[in-house]
Amino acid sequence: FLHPHICIFLSIAPRICVLGPPASGKTTVAMWLCKHLNAVRISQETLLFRETLPLTKEAKAYKERKQKIPNALWANLIQERLSNVDCIKRGWILEGFPENQEQAWMLQSSGIIPMHVVVLYAPDTVLIERNSGKRLDPVTQEVFHTTFDWPRDPRVQQRLVKPEDTSEQEISKKLLEYHRSFPGVFQNYKKILKSINADQPCMDVVSQVLSYVQTRHRSAAPFTPRILFCGPPGSGKRLQAALIAQKYGIVNICCGQLLKEAVAEKTKLGELVKTYFDDDRPVPDNLVVKIVAERLNTLDCVTNGWVLCDFPRDLEQGEQLQRAGIIPN
C-alpha cells in the first residue's frame, strides 16, 4: 500500500455561485475565494469588459443602449466562458448569477450545476448605507469601496468615480427587484445553498464562506474521475484500469506505455528517456513525472477524466506527482 499521505482529500475543481443583494459584498467574497482556491472569477463585469467571447459584443450593445440583457444571452455567455480550459481545470466562482429562476433553469439546462451556492444577506438599511461608499474604476470596471475595499495604488485611487446607480432611490429599486426574484433561485438550489450574514467584519464573512465551500455534499451528480490504480506485480492493475476506462469512457494511462510512446514519437522528453532505455537504466522520477503530468493535462484527460497505473510506486514519486498538480480523487 502507498503511504497514507498520498491518499489525500478529494480534490475537485470548485463550482461555486456567490449570490446576494446589491452591496452585500459579493465581489469581495468572490475575489477572496478565487485567491484561496485558484479558481476563475466570472461576473457581469468580467464577461462584458474583460472577455472577447463571440457574444460579448452583442451583450455590450444592450448595455450601451441601457437595455436589460436577456436571460438567454447571459446564460449563453456564461456557458461559453465556463467551457474554456481554465474553468474546466481550475474551477469557477460565478458572482451574481443566476439573478432569477429563469436564469437558474437556463444554466442547469446547459449543464452548469454549482457544487456550492453562497447567499449573502444583510438588512436593507445596511445595504443602502454601504452602497453609498461604492466607487468604480472607469478603466478596468472594477468596483471598490471607501470602507471595505480601498485600492492601494494611488493612481487607481485618483481615477475612481462614484457609479451612476448609487442613489438611494436606485438601490431601493434594485433591492425590491432582488427580493422579488430571489425566492425562485432559492427553490432551485436549496439543497446546496448556505445563507451567510454579510453584516459583520469582512474576514469573518470570508472565513465562514471558505469553511462552507470546502465541505462536500453527498451527490449523484457527475464529476471528472481521476483514478489511481495501485497494487503489487501480477495483481491485475492494468486489466482493471483498461476495463474501467472502457466502461466509463475515460482515458487509460499506463506509465510504462507512456514512456515508450514518448520515445517512439521522438518528443524532446522522449529523446531524454531513450538514452536511459538504451543504457538499460531506470528513468529518473522527475523526468517520468514531467511526461505523466504533460499527458494528464491534455484536454481529453481534463474533460473526460483518467485512470493511471504503474505510477507512483513509492512515497517520493507520489509527492512529486502531487507537487505537479496531479491529484487523484
Side-chain angles (χ1 to χ4, degrees):
F1 289 97
L2 285 177
H3 190 283
H5 283 139
I6 293 177
C7 304
I8 61 168
F9 184 77
L10 173 62
S11 174
I12 301 173
R15 302 192 305 274
I16 302 165
C17 287
V18 178
L19 309 177
S24 57
K26 296 186 293 292
T27 301
T28 304
V29 167
M31 289 174 86
W32 269 99
L33 285 177
C34 289
K35 186 179 176 182
H36 280 271
L37 305 174
N38 190 32
V40 181
R41 175 175 156 255
I42 312 292
S43 68
Q44 192 173 112
E45 161 246 322
T46 62
L47 287 171
L48 293 181
F49 301 102
R50 294 190 186 178
E51 304 291 349
T52 51
L53 302 165
L55 293 171
T56 301
K57 195 173 178 183
E58 188 183 341
K60 283 175 88 170
Y62 278 95
K63 196 82 173 169
E64 284 158 12
R65 294 194 299 266
K66 296 193 174 177
Q67 293 176 328
K68 192 170 181 179
I69 297 171
N71 288 332
L73 182 52
W74 272 132
N76 290 336
L77 252 178
I78 292 166
Q79 184 187 13
E80 198 174 354
R81 180 64 185 89
L82 297 189
S83 64
N84 286 1
V85 176
D86 60 343
C87 290
I88 294 169
K89 286 176 73 171
R90 290 164 50 199
W92 44 264
I93 314 293
L94 196 52
E95 177 200 318
F97 291 107
E99 295 178 307
N100 52 55
Q101 194 170 44
E102 188 183 1
Q103 282 184 7
W105 283 334
M106 285 179 172
L107 292 180
Q108 284 179 326
S109 65
S110 303
I112 298 166
I113 301 167
M115 290 157 48
H116 299 88
V117 176
V118 173
V119 179
L120 305 175
Y121 69 90
D124 284 2
T125 48
V126 171
L127 297 171
I128 290 168
E129 187 181 342
R130 274 191 187 185
N131 194 62
S132 63
K134 265 189 179 180
R135 295 295 181 269
L136 180 73
D137 184 342
V139 176
T140 64
Q141 297 297 314
E142 280 187 86
V143 176
F144 295 93
H145 197 279
T146 52
T147 308
F148 307 106
D149 184 25
W150 195 242
R152 292 180 181 177
D153 190 335
R155 292 170 299 177
V156 177
Q157 291 175 11
Q158 286 171 6
R159 68 179 185 235
L160 293 184
V161 295
K162 200 169 183 178
E164 293 175 9
D165 58 357
T166 54
S167 70
E168 194 169 320
Q169 188 179 2
E170 191 64 34
I171 185 72
S172 298
K173 184 180 168 187
K174 285 185 174 182
L175 285 168
L176 185 62
E177 190 178 335
Y178 172 82
H179 292 313
R180 282 176 180 161
S181 302
F182 185 70
V185 178
F186 179 86
Q187 285 303 315
N188 271 55
Y189 296 123
K190 59 185 176 183
K191 289 184 180 177
I192 53 167
L193 182 146
K194 171 89 170 171
S195 295
I196 291 175
N197 182 8
D199 187 19
Q200 55 182 322
C202 180
M203 291 320 297
D204 289 354
V205 176
V206 170
S207 173
Q208 288 172 42
V209 172
L210 262 176
S211 175
Y212 173 61
V213 301
Q214 287 171 341
T215 61
R216 286 179 55 211
H217 302 296
R218 289 183 177 273
S219 171
F223 72 101
T224 307
R226 300 191 294 276
I227 303 167
L228 191 62
F229 252 106
C230 305
S235 59
K237 301 185 295 291
R238 290 190 185 189
L239 174 62
Q240 292 301 327
L243 292 171
I244 288 278
Q246 185 178 16
K247 183 172 182 177
Y248 295 106
I250 60 179
V251 183
N252 184 16
I253 308 291
C254 172
C255 185
Q257 187 64 32
L258 198 60
L259 296 178
K260 289 174 187 174
E261 285 171 7
V263 172
E265 290 167 9
K266 297 183 179 178
T267 63
K268 283 184 181 178
L269 292 175
E271 294 292 330
L272 292 173
V273 171
K274 188 174 185 298
T275 59
Y276 290 93
F277 275 12
D278 291 346
D279 297 339
D280 203 21
R281 290 181 295 151
V283 182
D285 289 350
N286 62 340
L287 186 52
V288 178
V289 168
K290 278 183 183 175
I291 291 172
V292 171
E294 194 174 86
R295 180 65 184 93
L296 297 186
N297 278 315
T298 53
L299 190 59
D300 60 340
C301 288
V302 170
T303 307
N304 301 321
W306 46 262
V307 53
L308 172 66
C309 68
D310 275 355
F311 194 85
R313 296 181 180 182
D314 57 40
L315 176 61
E316 191 178 335
Q317 290 178 350
E319 288 175 341
Q320 281 193 44
L321 206 61
Q322 191 175 322
R323 284 195 294 273
I326 304 301
I327 300 171
N329 55 25

